[in-house]
mmCIF file of all heavy atoms in Angstrom:
data_model
loop_
_atom_site.group_PDB
_atom_site.id
_atom_site.type_symbol
_atom_site.label_atom_id
_atom_site.label_comp_id
_atom_site.label_asym_id
_atom_site.label_seq_id
_atom_site.Cartn_x
_atom_site.Cartn_y
_atom_site.Cartn_z
ATOM 1 N N LEU A 309 -35.546 39.943 -19.731
ATOM 2 C CA LEU A 309 -34.168 39.742 -20.175
ATOM 3 C C LEU A 309 -33.261 39.408 -19.004
ATOM 4 O O LEU A 309 -32.321 38.612 -19.138
ATOM 5 C CB LEU A 309 -33.658 40.972 -20.920
ATOM 6 C CG LEU A 309 -34.458 41.365 -22.169
ATOM 7 C CD1 LEU A 309 -33.726 42.468 -22.948
ATOM 8 C CD2 LEU A 309 -34.690 40.163 -23.073
ATOM 9 N N ARG A 310 -33.532 40.007 -17.864
ATOM 10 C CA ARG A 310 -32.762 39.664 -16.661
ATOM 11 C C ARG A 310 -32.954 38.190 -16.304
ATOM 12 O O ARG A 310 -32.028 37.534 -15.829
ATOM 13 C CB ARG A 310 -33.199 40.547 -15.488
ATOM 14 C CG ARG A 310 -32.672 41.970 -15.576
ATOM 15 C CD ARG A 310 -32.975 42.770 -14.329
ATOM 16 N NE ARG A 310 -32.254 44.038 -14.345
ATOM 17 C CZ ARG A 310 -31.518 44.490 -13.348
ATOM 18 N NH1 ARG A 310 -31.392 43.776 -12.243
ATOM 19 N NH2 ARG A 310 -30.903 45.663 -13.428
ATOM 20 N N ASP A 311 -34.153 37.688 -16.536
ATOM 21 C CA ASP A 311 -34.420 36.275 -16.257
ATOM 22 C C ASP A 311 -33.552 35.377 -17.144
ATOM 23 O O ASP A 311 -33.012 34.363 -16.669
ATOM 24 C CB ASP A 311 -35.898 35.983 -16.505
ATOM 25 C CG ASP A 311 -36.276 34.567 -16.130
ATOM 26 O OD1 ASP A 311 -36.297 34.257 -14.932
ATOM 27 O OD2 ASP A 311 -36.525 33.754 -17.051
ATOM 28 N N ARG A 312 -33.399 35.757 -18.409
ATOM 29 C CA ARG A 312 -32.546 34.985 -19.326
ATOM 30 C C ARG A 312 -31.085 35.023 -18.866
ATOM 31 O O ARG A 312 -30.384 34.012 -18.910
ATOM 32 C CB ARG A 312 -32.669 35.557 -20.736
ATOM 33 C CG ARG A 312 -34.035 35.465 -21.350
ATOM 34 C CD ARG A 312 -34.380 34.052 -21.776
ATOM 35 N NE ARG A 312 -35.632 34.010 -22.511
ATOM 36 C CZ ARG A 312 -35.731 34.193 -23.830
ATOM 37 N NH1 ARG A 312 -34.644 34.440 -24.547
ATOM 38 N NH2 ARG A 312 -36.904 34.138 -24.411
ATOM 39 N N VAL A 313 -30.644 36.198 -18.466
ATOM 40 C CA VAL A 313 -29.264 36.338 -17.997
ATOM 41 C C VAL A 313 -29.039 35.539 -16.719
ATOM 42 O O VAL A 313 -27.976 34.942 -16.516
ATOM 43 C CB VAL A 313 -28.911 37.829 -17.782
ATOM 44 C CG1 VAL A 313 -27.563 37.973 -17.085
ATOM 45 C CG2 VAL A 313 -28.889 38.564 -19.114
ATOM 46 N N ALA A 314 -30.054 35.509 -15.864
ATOM 47 C CA ALA A 314 -29.938 34.722 -14.635
ATOM 48 C C ALA A 314 -29.748 33.238 -14.957
ATOM 49 O O ALA A 314 -28.971 32.539 -14.290
ATOM 50 C CB ALA A 314 -31.174 34.919 -13.765
ATOM 51 N N ASP A 315 -30.439 32.756 -15.981
ATOM 52 C CA ASP A 315 -30.256 31.372 -16.412
ATOM 53 C C ASP A 315 -28.816 31.137 -16.882
ATOM 54 O O ASP A 315 -28.208 30.112 -16.567
ATOM 55 C CB ASP A 315 -31.226 31.030 -17.546
ATOM 56 C CG ASP A 315 -32.640 30.782 -17.056
ATOM 57 O OD1 ASP A 315 -32.816 30.561 -15.840
ATOM 58 O OD2 ASP A 315 -33.564 30.806 -17.890
ATOM 59 N N MET A 316 -28.295 32.089 -17.646
ATOM 60 C CA MET A 316 -26.909 31.969 -18.113
ATOM 61 C C MET A 316 -25.946 31.942 -16.933
ATOM 62 O O MET A 316 -25.010 31.128 -16.889
ATOM 63 C CB MET A 316 -26.567 33.138 -19.049
ATOM 64 C CG MET A 316 -27.329 33.155 -20.362
ATOM 65 S SD MET A 316 -26.992 34.655 -21.343
ATOM 66 C CE MET A 316 -25.250 34.422 -21.761
ATOM 67 N N LYS A 317 -26.169 32.831 -15.980
ATOM 68 C CA LYS A 317 -25.305 32.906 -14.805
ATOM 69 C C LYS A 317 -25.377 31.610 -13.990
ATOM 70 O O LYS A 317 -24.354 31.094 -13.517
ATOM 71 C CB LYS A 317 -25.730 34.090 -13.934
ATOM 72 C CG LYS A 317 -24.953 34.234 -12.628
ATOM 73 C CD LYS A 317 -23.511 34.653 -12.862
ATOM 74 C CE LYS A 317 -22.820 34.977 -11.547
ATOM 75 N NZ LYS A 317 -21.426 35.400 -11.743
ATOM 76 N N SER A 318 -26.576 31.064 -13.847
ATOM 77 C CA SER A 318 -26.750 29.831 -13.081
ATOM 78 C C SER A 318 -25.997 28.677 -13.738
ATOM 79 O O SER A 318 -25.311 27.897 -13.064
ATOM 80 C CB SER A 318 -28.245 29.504 -12.968
ATOM 81 O OG SER A 318 -28.437 28.283 -12.290
ATOM 82 N N ARG A 319 -26.137 28.571 -15.048
ATOM 83 C CA ARG A 319 -25.417 27.512 -15.762
ATOM 84 C C ARG A 319 -23.911 27.681 -15.617
ATOM 85 O O ARG A 319 -23.170 26.704 -15.410
ATOM 86 C CB ARG A 319 -25.807 27.515 -17.245
ATOM 87 C CG ARG A 319 -27.162 26.920 -17.534
ATOM 88 C CD ARG A 319 -27.376 26.740 -19.029
ATOM 89 N NE ARG A 319 -27.495 28.003 -19.728
ATOM 90 C CZ ARG A 319 -28.652 28.615 -19.986
ATOM 91 N NH1 ARG A 319 -29.788 28.069 -19.565
ATOM 92 N NH2 ARG A 319 -28.685 29.754 -20.646
ATOM 93 N N LEU A 320 -23.445 28.913 -15.743
ATOM 94 C CA LEU A 320 -22.010 29.179 -15.650
ATOM 95 C C LEU A 320 -21.477 28.816 -14.264
ATOM 96 O O LEU A 320 -20.401 28.201 -14.148
ATOM 97 C CB LEU A 320 -21.732 30.651 -15.952
ATOM 98 C CG LEU A 320 -20.271 31.109 -15.803
ATOM 99 C CD1 LEU A 320 -19.353 30.293 -16.696
ATOM 100 C CD2 LEU A 320 -20.139 32.597 -16.106
ATOM 101 N N MET A 321 -22.201 29.183 -13.225
ATOM 102 C CA MET A 321 -21.743 28.875 -11.873
ATOM 103 C C MET A 321 -21.648 27.363 -11.657
ATOM 104 O O MET A 321 -20.677 26.857 -11.074
ATOM 105 C CB MET A 321 -22.689 29.491 -10.844
ATOM 106 C CG MET A 321 -22.646 31.010 -10.802
ATOM 107 S SD MET A 321 -23.918 31.705 -9.705
ATOM 108 C CE MET A 321 -23.342 31.115 -8.113
#
Side-chain angles (χ1 to χ4, degrees):
L309 301 189
R310 285 187 170 230
D311 185 70
R312 297 286 187 87
V313 171
D315 283 343
M316 294 174 67
K317 177 69 172 181
S318 177
R319 284 190 291 267
L320 176 58
M321 291 173 66

